[in-house]
Amino acid sequence: MEAPHSPAPDGATATARLTLHSPDQTQELGRTLAKLLRPGDLVMLTGELGAGKTTLTRGLGEGLGVRGAVTSPTFVIARVHPSLVGGPALVHVDAYRLGGGLDEMEDLDLDVSLPDSVVVVEWGEGKVEDLTEDRLHVVIHRVVGSTDDERRMVTLTGHGARWAGVDLALG
């Protein structure tokens, strides 16, 4: 993983850009990020199909020590993985099929789960920002035109006081 530091965009309190070269590195990023996460954290994942959102979440689950295989919850919308080590549960949501904004998300009771869990929402941009002012937004882009088909550019952006001063460069 390569981790150059970037200035924070408007409204962000922390930001970093990383280059990943394999799914294993994407999963490792998830394990590393899990060390920064605590109950009440909302992680929003953005990226095209096959970018690595679920792979990253699998690493988060491993790092948090949760029960159950972390797989895409596309057809069940949300899946709860309780902690096996006394930490927060992982609530993994796939908002791809949810067309509405926060109204549809409210039906999932994420606001109830959020204080005690780490909530990860794939395809959540434009849908979950109003759940909390504090969130970590992870954007994963495939690098097009590269000889390395597995290469991804990942941008980590922390929003709100929770992320102020957090070193997202992970270096």
Side-chain angles (χ1 to χ4, degrees), residues 103-166:
D103 291 342
E104 276 191 76
M105 298 304 287
E106 283 179 350
D107 290 342
L108 299 175
D109 288 332
L110 294 181
D111 53 336
V112 173
S113 300
L114 190 57
D116 301 318
S117 305
V118 170
V119 176
V120 176
V121 183
E122 297 185 29
W123 306 97
E125 192 170 9
K127 298 175 184 175
V128 297
E129 289 89 340
D130 290 338
L131 283 174
T132 178
E133 291 179 13
D134 299 312
R135 66 189 174 279
L136 178 62
H137 189 184
V138 180
V139 180
I140 306 171
H141 287 290
R142 286 183 177 151
V143 178
V144 180
S146 169
T147 58
D148 181 358
D149 290 340
E150 300 295 335
R151 196 166 98 181
R152 304 290 192 263
M153 295 299 298
V154 179
T155 304
L156 306 168
T157 307
H159 295 270
R162 157 66 177 100
W163 296 99
V166 175

Side-chain angles (χ1 to χ4, degrees), residues 14-160:
T15 190
R17 291 184 192 274
L18 309 168
T19 302
L20 306 175
H21 297 279
S22 69
D24 288 341
Q25 284 189 343
T26 303
Q27 200 161 333
E28 180 59 31
L29 173 61
R31 286 189 291 271
T32 302
L33 278 175
K35 296 173 188 172
L36 298 177
L37 298 176
R38 60 187 187 208
D41 282 343
L42 172 65
V43 180
M44 238 173 36
L45 301 179
T46 302
E48 65 267 17
L49 286 170
K53 297 178 297 297
T54 301
T55 300
L56 179 78
T57 306
R58 190 172 299 118
L60 287 172
E62 289 174 8
L64 291 170
V66 299
R67 184 180 74 211
V70 175
T71 59
S72 179
T74 299
F75 297 105
V76 294
I77 309 297
R79 189 173 276 130
V80 178
H81 298 274
S83 176
L84 295 172
V85 295
L90 172 66
V91 178
H92 185 197
V93 179
D94 187 327
Y96 183 76
R97 295 186 312 134
L98 301 178
L102 193 58
D103 291 342
E104 276 191 76
M105 298 304 287
E106 283 179 350
D107 290 342
L108 299 175
D109 288 332
L110 294 181
D111 53 336
V112 173
S113 300
L114 190 57
D116 301 318
S117 305
V118 170
V119 176
V120 176
V121 183
E122 297 185 29
W123 306 97
E125 192 170 9
K127 298 175 184 175
V128 297
E129 289 89 340
D130 290 338
L131 283 174
T132 178
E133 291 179 13
D134 299 312
R135 66 189 174 279
L136 178 62
H137 189 184
V138 180
V139 180
I140 306 171
H141 287 290
R142 286 183 177 151
V143 178
V144 180
S146 169
T147 58
D148 181 358
D149 290 340
E150 300 295 335
R151 196 166 98 181
R152 304 290 192 263
M153 295 299 298
V154 179
T155 304
L156 306 168
T157 307
H159 295 270

